[in-house]
């Protein structure tokens, strides 16, 4: 009697084990088939679009800017923003610390301090011979905007009028990202970031 019960228990345990293993195998097989299907679909999508060209949005259109602020003439605004950037570079080059209508906040304080330090130590950080390649507004609100500028220029540093880095003979290309803030109706530069630079001879 006991041996029969033991045999039944062994058979039951074996059967349960076989059922659980079978369920596990079925689930694993289904999961593997789903993964293979996804992999095949991704491969087909990659092969389908292999020759396609994807365009990156350069900046906001005039219409997009006018949807935010219909009082703005985007062409005139961008021309003024660029002129303000060039004015900043000219003032740095000529050691002029009057940035009242050009810079604001930390950037204004930083450049005033930097120019005073340059004067006393015979340093200069010069961006000259600027050729505009292109510009665009990438973000816009009535209080703040981001302006991307691409230029070719001479860029060099001097100590006591001797060039110590860069060149005044070979131009480089720079891409700059400038933030402007609307301060009492005037767009003033609040941050300056150089995001790309290369020698034109490369």
């Amino acid at each position: 009697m006991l041996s029969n019960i033991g045999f039944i228990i062994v058979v039951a345990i074996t059967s349960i084990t076989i059922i659980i293993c079978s369920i596990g195998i079925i689930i694993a097989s289904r999961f593997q088939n789903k993964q293979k299907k996804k992999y095949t679909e991704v491969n087909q999508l990659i092969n389908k679009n292999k020759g396609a060209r994807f365009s990156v949005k350069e900046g906001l259109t005039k219409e997009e800017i006018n949807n935010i602020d219909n009082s703005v003439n985007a062409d005139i605004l961008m021309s003024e923003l660029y002129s303000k950037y060039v004015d900043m570079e000219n003032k740095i080059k000529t050691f002029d610390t009057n940035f009242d209508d050009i810079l604001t906040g930390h950037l204004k304080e930083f450049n005033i301090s930097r120019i005073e330090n340059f004067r006393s130590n015979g340093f200069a950080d010069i961006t000259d011979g600027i050729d505009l390649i292109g510009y665009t507004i990438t973000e816009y609100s009535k209080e703040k905007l981001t302006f991307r500028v691409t230029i070719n220029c001479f860029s060099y540093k001097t100590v006591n009028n001797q060039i110590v880095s860069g060149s005044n003979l070979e131009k480089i290309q720079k891409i700059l990202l400038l933030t402007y803030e609307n301060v009492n109706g005037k767009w003033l530069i609040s941050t300056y970031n150089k995001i790309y630079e290369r020698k034109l001879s490369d």
Side-chain angles (χ1 to χ4, degrees):
M1 185 73 178
L2 286 173
S3 62
N4 285 342
I5 293 171
F7 177 74
I8 291 169
I9 290 170
V10 169
V11 170
I13 291 170
T14 304
S15 299
I16 290 168
T17 303
I18 291 170
I19 290 168
I20 290 170
C21 289
S22 299
I23 291 169
I25 291 167
I26 291 166
I27 291 170
S29 177
R30 284 183 180 175
F31 178 76
Q32 195 171 16
N33 287 336
K34 281 184 181 178
Q35 290 299 100
K36 281 182 181 177
K37 188 179 176 185
K38 282 182 183 177
Y39 178 75
T40 303
E41 287 172 354
V42 168
N43 264 345
Q44 287 173 346
L45 188 63
I46 290 169
N47 290 329
K48 183 181 176 183
N49 293 304
K50 194 179 284 180
R53 291 183 179 180
F54 297 93
S55 59
V56 178
K57 187 173 170 59
E58 287 293 313
L60 297 177
T61 64
K62 297 174 192 177
E63 291 75 20
E64 287 171 327
I65 292 170
N66 284 138
N67 285 339
I68 301 166
D69 185 353
N70 60 15
S71 68
V72 170
N73 182 314
D75 288 329
I76 292 173
L77 175 59
M78 287 191 286
S79 178
E80 290 173 351
L81 296 174
Y82 176 68
S83 293
K84 201 150 283 190
Y85 159 70
V86 173
D87 288 345
M88 179 192 76
E89 294 290 11
N90 286 335
K91 283 182 177 289
I92 293 170
K93 180 176 66 177
T94 58
F95 303 102
D96 184 348
T97 56
N98 182 10
F99 291 105
D100 285 352
D101 292 325
I102 298 171
L103 306 181
T104 188
H106 173 72
L107 187 64
K108 180 180 179 180
E109 295 168 7
F110 170 76
N111 275 290
I112 291 171
S113 174
R114 187 166 71 130
I115 288 171
E116 288 171 349
N117 184 55
F118 284 172
R119 267 206 211 105
S120 60
N121 291 287
F123 298 156
D125 187 356
I126 297 171
T127 299
D128 203 2
I130 297 172
D131 299 322
L132 174 65
I133 305 304
Y135 52 51
T136 186
I137 293 172
T138 60
E139 294 177 43
Y140 182 87
S141 74
K142 291 182 180 181
E143 295 77 34
K144 184 183 285 190
L145 64 82
T146 305
F147 189 54
R148 188 174 68 236
V149 182
T150 303
I151 58 169
N152 292 344
C153 63
F154 298 114
S155 181
Y156 56 97
K157 293 178 173 62
T158 65
V159 177
N160 297 322
N161 297 319
Q162 299 295 314
I163 295 175
V164 292
S165 69
S167 171
N168 63 349
L169 299 175
E170 293 184 7
K171 288 192 173 183
I172 62 171
Q173 185 169 98
K174 290 182 183 182
I175 299 177
L176 310 170
L177 208 56
L178 308 170
T179 303
Y180 289 71
E181 292 182 15
N182 193 333
V183 181
N184 300 321
K186 294 179 181 179
W187 288 105
L188 307 179
I189 305 170
S190 60
T191 66
Y192 169 106
N193 290 294
K194 181 174 65 180
I195 59 174
Y196 176 79
E197 180 178 305
R198 73 175 179 91
K199 292 181 179 179
L200 292 176
S201 56
D202 288 349

